[in-house]
Amino acid sequence: MTEVRQELFGEVPGQGTVERWTLQSPSVSVQVISLGCAITSIKSRGRSGELSDIVLGFDSLQGYLNNTRYFGVVVGRVANRIAGGNFVVDGKEYQLAINNGPNALHGGLKGFDKAIWATQALDSGVKLTLTSPDGDEGYPGELKVSVAYTLKEDTLSIQYYACSNKTTPVNLTNHTYFNLAGHDAPDIYDHVVSIKADAYLPVDDTMIPTGEVRPVEGTPFDLRSPVLIGPRLQVLPGPGFDHNFCLQSPGEPLEERQCARVHHPASGRVLEVSTTQPGVQFYTANFLDGTISGKGGATYPKRCSFCLETQNWPDAVNKT
Ligand SMILES: *[C@@H]1O[C@H](CO)[C@@H](O)[C@H](O)[C@H]1NC(C)=O
Ligand SMILES: *[C@@H]1O[C@H](CO)[C@@H](O)[C@H](O)[C@H]1NC(C)=O
Ligand SMILES: *[C@@H]1O[C@H](CO)[C@@H](O)[C@H](O)[C@H]1NC(C)=O
Ligand SMILES: CC(=O)N[C@H]1CO[C@H](CO)[C@@H](O)[C@@H]1O
């Protein structure tokens, strides 16, 4: 049985009220707000029964209004980077707002993470919907989007739906930062990760994939067998993981399967991620710097958490 509750979370002047929904199963409790469709808390028990909140976030609405690191939100229309912010569909060139070096990142200046979504109760969860107008952030077509969060026992499912009246790139994901020891633990070095990918996408200086699909065999990106993250980060070139792992070719038929598993031996907590998407971006919070004021006064330093963003391959609109 999952209990579903709704309450007022806050008011955005000129934009409307923000709701908070709580989904409570016997083992897990999940909270979601209607601003950015954000997951604001996931509480689960560790081996000795202690309850911890394992996702990063803020206590108040103000924190989410200034959420420069995309904690917990749904990212869209297109998660990740589009090179130069431009692409061609149906013979027409489109230019998006540039908001990350020379590239477009995470849906633009006012992406789906900054919108207030409409809500509707479901049997074991909540469905949030949004209409993105034709030309929104430079993207073609009116796009109707919905995201359904449902909780059954200890499985949180997220179902995305999007429909446009013109051809447009769409790749939605959610951007939850986890630390299985608890959101305020200092690092993730004692987590053990595995990702079922035979290849990954190397990136250039601006984090755009170079176009090469490189086998993980013999590289620090080989996470096919469980690997302790701390020592592996030390041999990785660059600041940490922020790479797309290739689960299958973008064109192949998609069937839901498990792609990643993270284990925190000390608490006994395990996160397993399943998806129908062909890629998963593994990010080790390399750009956090301890300056955020998070939940309960937590400051969230570099590498304090990880994200597993299931998605299409980044910059797919320019690489297929
Ligand atoms: C898409 O829908 C929007 C809003 O209803 C409308 O303005 C636009 O003309 C439609 N475009 C097409 C190609 O149907
Ligand atoms: C907004 O967030 C940035 C980065 O996390 C932080 O430096 C700044 O102090 C925040 N501003 C407010 C008004 O909270
Ligand atoms: C939601 O986000 C979390 C954290 O990024 C990730 O583990 C999970 O795969 C995502 N789920 C979907 C359906 O995208
Ligand atoms: C799930 C989804 O919408 N995937 C899309 C991601 O973007 C590429 C183009 O960039 C589309 O081909 C996919 O359908």
Side-chain angles (χ1 to χ4, degrees):
M1 245 323 268
T2 300
E3 194 192 313
V4 179
R5 295 192 303 274
Q6 174 199 356
E7 69 200 314
L8 180 69
F9 187 58
E11 175 92 34
V12 186
Q15 228 190 316
T17 55
V18 176
E19 296 165 8
R20 178 164 62 187
W21 289 69
T22 303
L23 322 181
Q24 171 104 49
S25 81
S27 52
V28 176
S29 150
V30 176
Q31 287 186 314
V32 171
I33 58 170
S34 56
L35 177 72
C37 210
I39 295 176
T40 57
S41 119
I42 299 181
K43 290 188 181 133
S44 99
R45 291 191 193 285
R47 77 166 83 248
S48 50
E50 78 288 6
L51 204 60
S52 295
D53 186 348
I54 58 168
V55 302
L56 278 55
F58 304 98
D59 287 323
S60 70
L61 178 60
Q62 192 49 47
Y64 287 97
L65 288 172
N66 180 36
N67 186 1
T68 52
R69 299 300 176 187
Y70 301 91
F71 287 169
V73 298
V74 166
V75 179
R77 286 188 196 188
V78 177
N80 224 307
R81 295 171 184 84
I82 294 180
N86 60 41
F87 58 88
V88 176
V89 283
D90 293 345
K92 188 162 182 253
E93 187 172 345
Y94 292 90
Q95 179 65 51
L96 307 173
I98 299 301
N99 60 341
N100 183 260
N103 305 314
L105 177 71
H106 283 346
L109 300 171
K110 186 172 186 292
F112 294 176
D113 58 298
K114 297 185 184 69
I116 297 179
W117 297 52
T119 60
Q120 169 191 339
L122 297 176
D123 216 11
S124 308
V126 57
K127 181 170 165 180
L128 298 100
T129 53
L130 181 70
T131 300
S132 163
D134 195 356
D136 194 12
E137 292 292 326
Y139 287 103
E142 182 185 77
L143 186 76
K144 289 190 155 65
V145 192
S146 76
V147 177
Y149 293 107
T150 49
L151 181 67
K152 300 256 168 73
E153 301 291 334
D154 58 4
T155 301
L156 174 65
S157 302
I158 311 175
Q159 262 172 320
Y160 301 95
Y161 169 87
C163 178
S164 173
N165 68 1
K166 283 186 198 159
T167 307
T168 178
V170 177
N171 276 305
L172 305 173
T173 191
N174 77 90
H175 209 282
T176 302
Y177 290 68
F178 289 95
N179 187 316
L180 301 184
H183 74 98
D184 51 356
D187 61 63
I188 47 163
Y189 300 152
D190 60 351
H191 287 48
V192 176
V193 62
S194 54
I195 299 179
K196 286 184 188 154
D198 295 329
Y200 77 104
L201 303 182
V203 293
D204 66 19
D205 295 342
T206 62
M207 303 307 293
I208 289 286
T210 58
E212 183 193 355
V213 179
R214 190 180 291 171
V216 297
E217 181 80 48
T219 76
F221 295 89
D222 192 346
L223 304 176
R224 290 173 295 180
S225 300
V227 164
L228 188 61
I229 296 184
R232 182 54 62 92
L233 281 169
Q234 287 175 359
V235 297
L236 200 73
F241 287 102
D242 190 5
H243 295 82
N244 182 76
F245 285 77
C246 307
L247 305 172
Q248 59 191 348
S249 303
E252 284 173 28
L254 306 168
E255 220 174 274
E256 184 173 334
R257 70 251 168 273
Q258 194 189 310
C259 65
R261 184 176 197 272
V262 183
H263 177 207
H264 179 245
S267 68
R269 290 194 186 88
V270 172
L271 176 72
E272 290 176 336
V273 178
S274 300
T275 186
T276 58
Q277 289 292 296
V280 59
Q281 185 90 3
F282 179 45
Y283 175 54
T284 48
N286 315 314
F287 300 116
L288 294 186
D289 57 8
T291 59
I292 288 176
S293 32
K295 288 188 264 194
T299 56
Y300 303 143
K302 183 174 173 182
R303 294 179 177 172
C304 69
S305 51
F306 66 91
C307 300
L308 285 162
E309 301 154 54
T310 53
Q311 61 182 13
N312 205 302
W313 296 10
D315 199 26
V317 72
N318 289 315
K319 294 275 157 56
T320 47

